[in-house]
Amino acid sequence: MLSGYLLSDYILLLTGLLLACGVLVSKFSTRLGVPSLILFIAIGMLMGSGGLNILPLGNVEYVQAIGILALVIILFEGGIQTNWSVIRPVAGTALSLATITVLLTSLLLAGFAYVLLDLTMTEAFLLGALVGSTDAAAVFATLKGKNIKPNLSASMEGEAGANDPMAVFLTLAAIELLTSPDPSYALMAGSFLWQMAGGLLIGLVLGKAGSYAVNKINMDAGGLYPIFAISFAFIIYSSAQFALASGFLAVYVAALVIGNSELTYRHSITTFHEGFAWMAQIVMFIVLGALATPEDIFSWGVIWTGVLLSFFIMFIARPAAVFLSTIGSGFSLNDRLFLSWAGLRGAVPIILATFPIVAGVDNDSIIFNTVFFIVLTSALIQGSTIAPLSNKLKVTAPDTKDEHSSWELVNIGKTDAKLVEYKASKRSAIIGHHVNSLNIPEESVVNALVRDGELLNTDANIEIQPGDTLFILVATRKKHDLKQMLDGQKEKKRFS
């Protein structure tokens, strides 16, 4: 038995090694053509009780809590990075994918699992419910760096961010049917409606409150803003869960609101959360991998049934559900084929698969091992082929990095002033104007102009071009006037 000091040293060393391995794995996963989550899980399986026994995890409830915490962080970062103006036109499609597609996929897979496995119909429905949804961590990670058409990527992100309530509802409903002698179907339906409506409402209200607080409370250090922002993610999730609503949906909606609002220290907040989400993803998949037992996951019985179930989801259940739920969406055949293939499974099914274990459902180990194998198959086959398939189906978009102007606010200590970093696009109202002739508000001054990495003299008669970045010092009360002048239109909130 290790002493207190030795145990803490051991934990710190193990944590450092695992995070370092995770970072290196993520760097080389693209070169290897293998999704990083597969390699994270492999590290966890190697470290777990079925491998080197360096990271033995026997308490399923602790693993479940770690997974939920990590998912909250990942969903929050994904929502902050999502542009509402892009996702709004496909919000209806994303909602259809998050509900109808998940339900149809679950039901179709349940029917196939009932025929294939020695399970009751309700147990087969539970298995279908566990793998019916796509995974936010897997989808967000896969889409990073891929230039998929905006409507498609927005639909995928919206589906991944909003389909957890349906997956959780179907899973808990199946468990109640298996464990309760007298389940109430009306109560189940009402619970689902409240989870969706309550999660949406709580996310909107607390998201507005969070963005207001971040902007209005003047911190002594810029590094406190990202911490303050992530605190809202945890508060929002817990508040929704205590209200019996969907915490995952509330977090994603709140992050959309916060991320699409005018934010002080936006760059610091988004950069911090991107790194934090990566850390959460590394820890989550390693821990989930450590929970699994390789000899059970890769037993012949799990392999042959898992392969058949995986192929059924990939080639029959998911495509059929996507094509039915996107009728009238305006997507082309290639778009719908890509959406069908891009339904990645990841952490959510594995975390949900711990629920039957905690509840003591019959055949829980068979269900967990099968779900785990399906996730591995989905991530390995679908995750590694998304990029070439997007090119084959011609669903990629031209580079649009400079299409939109960016607006960054930074507090200047305790003064009542902001430093605005404004990157002009082709659409900016100030393109073609000279720096020294801009009609900027009183109590503001252009401090610098950067073009192609070079600092230019603002006193010179310089004509502003697309891609130029201006640094403007402005009194706080005049910031909206400045934005109106730069954009050439009345101030509008991005989230509307």
Side-chain angles (χ1 to χ4, degrees):
M1 189 71 178
L2 295 174
S3 66
Y5 285 116
L6 288 176
L7 179 60
S8 62
D9 294 342
Y10 174 81
I11 292 173
L12 288 174
L13 176 62
L14 181 61
T15 302
L17 288 174
L18 290 178
L19 288 177
C21 287
V23 171
L24 294 175
V25 158
S26 65
K27 177 177 176 60
F28 292 108
S29 63
T30 303
R31 298 181 185 179
L32 296 173
V34 178
S36 56
L37 69 89
I38 288 287
L39 301 179
F40 296 155
I41 289 175
I43 292 173
M45 295 178 78
L46 178 65
M47 298 292 187
S49 56
L52 301 176
N53 201 31
I54 298 174
L55 189 64
L57 296 173
N59 193 312
V60 177
E61 292 183 356
Y62 287 163
V63 174
Q64 191 180 98
I66 292 171
I68 290 173
L69 176 66
L71 280 175
V72 169
I73 296 169
I74 293 165
L75 277 171
F76 192 73
E77 189 269 341
I80 282 181
Q81 298 280 15
T82 300
N83 191 331
W84 174 245
S85 64
V86 175
I87 203 173
R88 179 172 53 189
V90 296
T93 300
L95 183 61
S96 178
L97 290 169
T99 53
I100 298 174
T101 299
V102 174
L103 178 60
L104 292 177
T105 302
S106 300
L107 292 175
L108 289 171
L109 183 65
F112 186 65
Y114 177 70
V115 175
L116 187 66
L117 302 173
D118 185 21
L119 299 175
T120 66
M121 180 58 78
T122 308
E123 289 171 344
F125 174 67
L126 173 59
L127 177 60
L130 291 172
V131 293
S133 65
T134 59
D135 179 65
V139 171
F140 292 157
T142 302
L143 287 179
K144 285 184 184 297
K146 310 263 190 326
N147 201 24
I148 307 301
K149 290 197 298 188
N151 61 337
L152 276 180
S153 61
S155 297
M156 292 168 59
E157 290 179 0
E159 177 192 8
N163 68 6
D164 291 335
M166 175 61 85
V168 172
F169 164 73
L170 293 176
T171 299
L172 295 180
I175 292 175
E176 184 172 351
L177 291 174
L178 288 169
T179 58
S180 176
D182 187 25
S184 173
Y185 295 97
L187 188 61
M188 290 182 191
S191 173
F192 171 70
L193 292 175
W194 168 243
Q195 282 187 44
M196 295 293 288
L200 178 63
L201 179 62
I202 292 171
L204 286 172
V205 172
L206 294 186
K208 289 285 187 182
S211 60
Y212 180 84
V214 168
N215 285 323
K216 292 299 180 182
I217 299 178
N218 195 12
M219 307 287 182
D220 291 334
L224 294 175
Y225 285 93
I227 299 173
F228 192 48
I230 195 62
S231 71
F232 274 92
F234 300 140
I235 292 170
I236 290 165
Y237 175 83
S238 301
S239 299
Q241 289 295 114
F242 286 135
L244 302 180
S246 171
F248 291 130
L249 180 60
V251 167
Y252 184 68
V253 171
L256 275 174
V257 175
I258 294 173
N260 286 273
S261 301
E262 184 182 284
L263 276 185
T264 299
Y265 281 98
R266 175 181 295 278
H267 181 71
S268 298
I269 291 173
T270 54
T271 302
F272 171 86
H273 285 102
E274 184 178 10
F276 200 26
W278 267 110
M279 186 179 73
Q281 187 177 177
I282 291 170
V283 171
M284 175 177 63
F285 283 116
I286 289 178
V287 167
L288 291 176
L291 180 64
T293 305
E295 55 263 34
D296 293 336
I297 300 295
F298 298 113
S299 65
W300 173 242
V302 173
I303 289 175
W304 78 266
T305 55
V307 167
L308 289 176
L309 289 168
S310 297
F311 277 67
F312 184 83
I313 295 175
M314 286 187 267
F315 294 104
I316 298 177
R318 168 77 181 181
V322 166
F323 272 74
L324 286 173
S325 61
T326 55
I327 293 174
S329 64
F331 283 132
S332 67
L333 174 62
N334 283 1
D335 292 342
R336 295 161 89 181
L337 287 173
F338 184 77
L339 279 174
S340 300
W341 189 251
L344 297 175
R345 272 64 192 168
V348 171
I350 300 176
I351 294 170
L352 291 180
T354 63
F355 284 37
I357 297 175
V358 175
V361 172
D362 292 339
N363 293 317
D364 55 357
S365 60
I366 295 175
I367 293 172
F368 178 84
N369 293 331
T370 304
V371 167
F372 203 103
F373 188 86
I374 290 173
V375 168
L376 291 177
T377 307
S378 171
L380 187 60
I381 297 177
Q382 292 174 282
S384 60
T385 55
I386 278 185
L389 183 66
S390 66
N391 294 324
K392 186 74 173 177
L393 294 176
K394 299 180 179 179
V395 295
T396 55
D399 191 4
T400 57
K401 286 191 297 184
D402 295 325
E403 280 195 4
H404 300 281
S405 300
S406 63
W407 168 269
E408 176 85 15
L409 280 175
V410 179
N411 279 341
I412 306 298
K414 295 182 178 297
T415 64
D416 189 24
K418 308 285 186 185
L419 180 65
V420 172
E421 178 185 339
Y422 183 82
K423 186 172 184 179
S425 72
K426 295 178 182 179
R427 304 177 183 180
S428 299
I430 60 174
I431 296 299
H433 292 259
H434 295 95
V435 176
N436 53 15
S437 66
L438 290 177
N439 187 27
I440 59 177
E442 295 180 1
E443 302 178 73
S444 58
V445 60
V446 179
N447 295 105
L449 187 147
V450 177
R451 177 180 297 166
D452 297 327
E454 293 185 12
L455 185 64
L456 304 183
N457 183 7
T458 56
D459 293 330
N461 201 24
I462 299 175
E463 192 175 278
I464 299 171
Q465 300 177 6
D468 287 353
T469 300
L470 282 75
F471 292 87
I472 307 171
L473 188 64
V474 60
T476 302
R477 62 181 177 277
K478 295 288 186 178
K479 65 181 181 180
H480 295 298
D481 294 336
L482 176 64
K483 191 173 193 305
Q484 179 178 334
M485 185 280 298
L486 293 171
D487 291 341
Q489 58 185 7
K490 293 182 179 179
E491 175 69 7
K492 294 180 179 179
K493 294 181 180 178
R494 292 174 65 194
F495 192 95
S496 59

